[in-house]
């Protein structure tokens, strides 16, 4: 899959002076899994590289981040040795917050590796497959296409991304191909036990109490059949938990059989609101909804950002949905 473009990217890596690896803002397991696997691949080829992220990175994923990988601040964009930027799991350069940097560096070749259906093909080289479970699944095929060795560390990174984006092989992104690749990665030596422990078995009691508060705020908007809830930044401080303790919360909305879709609104430290849509229905496309708000994602899982506070954000979203779905419900096509 994508053998020709994969080989083109591999050739570009070999000809680069310095490669900069970039995930989307607030990177998840798939973005970091793909980036760290790619970093280890570049290490094996002795290709100079570093990484940049526009936001903090959750400590949950420390187990896959190579100690030798150098993370740079914004001054890295002034480095004239950088001639290639590889962006992972990002449908739009704005989502990585590097669009302005790229505009100023016409000498840089952008490589786009992603699986979002809303990806706008912003790279000179685009390895984009929306039908695959994760960007890590794409990296698996990329390494195979270029006959590269998948080490135990690379396997652990790739399995992290596949597991997080499939919800531990429970959501609609779970395909027979994802299950097959997952088993191959475990066979290769991926540390399945550590992945499960770090991602799914680490919540403190106070975090679960906050989860309970958030679920107690669940409401259903009858006209749009939208089940929604929220949390504020003050809630995180009150319960003395970390933002990473709330990862995975949105996916629990898929357990609700009522409504057409679920929405979680999350107040950020700067007062902005990050929203997440989830659905299990085949006739609802939440990626189109998220795109309307400047975001993107997948047909059944997508995200976006709007201005706060929470109350104003909810009113704005419902007003916009009124224009998109004047007849009610969230079904875009019959």
């Amino acid at each position: 899959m994508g053998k020709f473009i994969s080989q083109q990217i591999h050739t570009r890596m070999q000809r680069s002076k310095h490669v900069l690896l970039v995930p989307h803002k607030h990177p998840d397991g798939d973005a970091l899994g793909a980036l760290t696997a790619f970093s280890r691949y570049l290490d094996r080829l002795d290709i100079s590289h570093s990484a940049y992220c526009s936001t903090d990175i959750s400590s949950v994923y420390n187990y896959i981040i190579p100690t030798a990988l150098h993370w740079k601040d914004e001054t890295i964009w002034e480095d004239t040795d950088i001639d290639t930027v590889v962006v992972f799991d990002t449908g739009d350069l704005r989502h990585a917050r590097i669009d302005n940097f790229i505009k100023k560096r016409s000498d840089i070749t952008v490589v786009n590796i992603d699986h979002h259906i809303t990806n706008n093909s912003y790279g000179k080289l685009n390895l984009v497959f929306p039908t695959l479970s994760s960007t890590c699944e794409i990296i698996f095929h990329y390494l195979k296409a270029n006959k590269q060795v998948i080490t135990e560390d690379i396997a652990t990174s790739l399995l992290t991304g596949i597991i997080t984006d499939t919800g531990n092989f429970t959501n609609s992104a779970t395909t027979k191909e994802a299950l097959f690749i997952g088993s191959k990665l475990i066979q290769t030596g991926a540390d399945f036990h550590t992945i499960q422990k770090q991602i799914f078995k680490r919540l403190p009691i106070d975090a679960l109490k906050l989860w309970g508060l958030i679920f107690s705020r669940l409401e259903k908007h009858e006209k749009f059949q939208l089940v929604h809830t929220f949390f504020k930044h003050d809630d995180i401080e009150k319960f003395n938990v970390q933002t990473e303790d709330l990862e995975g919360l949105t996916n629990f909305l898929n357990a609700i059989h009522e409504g057409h879709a679920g929405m979680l609104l999350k107040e950020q430290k700067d007062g902005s609101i990050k929203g997440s849509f989830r659905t299990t229905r085949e006739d609802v496309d939440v990626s189109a909804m998220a795109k309307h708000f400047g975001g993107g994602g997948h047909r059944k899982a997508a995200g976006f950002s709007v201005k706060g506070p929470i109350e104003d954000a909810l009113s704005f979203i419902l007003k916009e949905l009124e224009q998109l779905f004047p007849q009610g419900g969230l079904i875009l096509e019959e």
Side-chain angles (χ1 to χ4, degrees), residues 270-291:
D270 63 2
S272 64
I273 308 299
K274 183 178 180 181
S276 298
F277 287 126
R278 293 291 186 275
T279 187
T280 58
R281 293 180 60 116
E282 297 296 332
D283 53 3
V284 173
D285 183 359
V286 295
S287 70
M289 294 161 56
K291 190 173 182 179

Side-chain angles (χ1 to χ4, degrees), residues 57-116:
I57 296 173
S58 171
S59 60
V60 168
Y61 303 107
N62 283 348
Y63 69 96
I64 59 172
I65 298 178
T67 56
L69 179 58
H70 297 291
W71 291 88
K72 304 293 186 177
D73 59 22
E74 290 187 1
T75 60
I76 189 63
W77 296 98
E78 300 170 7
D79 188 343
T80 56
D81 281 342
I82 296 175
D83 53 2
T84 304
V85 172
V86 185
V87 187
F88 300 92
D89 200 38
T90 304
D92 187 311
L93 287 178
R94 292 174 298 176
H95 191 44
R97 295 179 179 172
I98 64 169
D99 48 317
N100 289 329
F101 295 125
I102 295 298
K103 288 177 183 177
K104 298 175 182 178
R105 292 292 305 270
S106 59
D107 57 321
I108 287 177
T109 294
V110 176
V111 178
N112 169 21
I113 304 179
D114 185 35
H115 72 127
H116 291 91

Side-chain angles (χ1 to χ4, degrees), residues 75-313:
T75 60
I76 189 63
W77 296 98
E78 300 170 7
D79 188 343
T80 56
D81 281 342
I82 296 175
D83 53 2
T84 304
V85 172
V86 185
V87 187
F88 300 92
D89 200 38
T90 304
D92 187 311
L93 287 178
R94 292 174 298 176
H95 191 44
R97 295 179 179 172
I98 64 169
D99 48 317
N100 289 329
F101 295 125
I102 295 298
K103 288 177 183 177
K104 298 175 182 178
R105 292 292 305 270
S106 59
D107 57 321
I108 287 177
T109 294
V110 176
V111 178
N112 169 21
I113 304 179
D114 185 35
H115 72 127
H116 291 91
I117 194 171
T118 52
N119 189 285
N120 61 16
S121 299
Y122 51 79
K124 182 174 182 179
L125 296 170
N126 298 287
L127 188 62
V128 179
F129 290 96
T131 59
L132 298 190
S133 70
S134 55
T135 301
C136 280
E137 187 174 336
I138 296 174
I139 298 297
F140 176 87
H141 289 295
Y142 170 87
L143 295 174
K144 289 293 186 181
N146 290 300
K147 299 180 180 179
Q148 296 298 301
V149 175
I150 296 179
T151 62
E152 292 183 0
D153 287 337
I154 290 176
T156 299
S157 287
L158 296 181
L159 186 60
T160 293
I162 293 173
I163 282 179
T164 53
D165 265 25
T166 61
N168 210 13
F169 299 111
T170 61
N171 65 28
S172 60
T174 306
T175 62
K176 62 180 181 180
E177 181 72 3
L179 288 167
F180 173 77
I181 292 174
S183 68
K184 296 294 289 184
L185 292 172
I186 292 174
Q187 186 179 20
T188 300
D191 193 344
F192 182 74
H193 173 74
T194 295
I195 295 171
Q196 294 294 315
K197 180 180 178 180
Q198 291 295 116
I199 297 177
F200 299 106
K201 300 177 181 178
R202 57 173 181 79
L203 289 178
I205 291 175
D206 285 342
L208 291 174
K209 289 180 179 179
L210 178 51
W211 280 49
L213 174 63
I214 294 168
F215 283 132
S216 74
R217 294 169 174 164
L218 277 171
E219 294 184 12
K220 179 182 176 183
H221 192 282
E222 292 295 336
K223 179 175 181 178
F224 300 119
Q225 291 292 296
L226 178 68
V227 178
H228 57 86
T229 187
F230 68 91
F231 67 83
K232 297 184 176 182
H233 186 71
D234 287 347
D235 294 330
I236 295 175
E237 295 182 344
K238 177 181 177 181
F239 283 85
N240 193 29
V241 300
Q242 305 298 315
T243 54
E244 52 258 38
D245 292 330
L246 299 177
E247 290 183 9
L249 181 64
T250 310
N251 290 328
F252 271 78
L253 295 177
N254 282 336
I256 302 172
H257 76 277
E258 299 180 45
H260 290 173
M263 178 179 72
L264 174 65
L265 298 180
K266 300 162 277 188
E267 183 182 53
Q268 306 299 296
K269 191 174 182 178
D270 63 2
S272 64
I273 308 299
K274 183 178 180 181
S276 298
F277 287 126
R278 293 291 186 275
T279 187
T280 58
R281 293 180 60 116
E282 297 296 332
D283 53 3
V284 173
D285 183 359
V286 295
S287 70
M289 294 161 56
K291 190 173 182 179
H292 180 79
F293 296 105
H298 307 287
R299 189 175 179 87
K300 296 186 178 182
F304 61 96
S305 294
V306 293
K307 294 181 180 179
I310 290 282
E311 295 79 7
D312 291 349

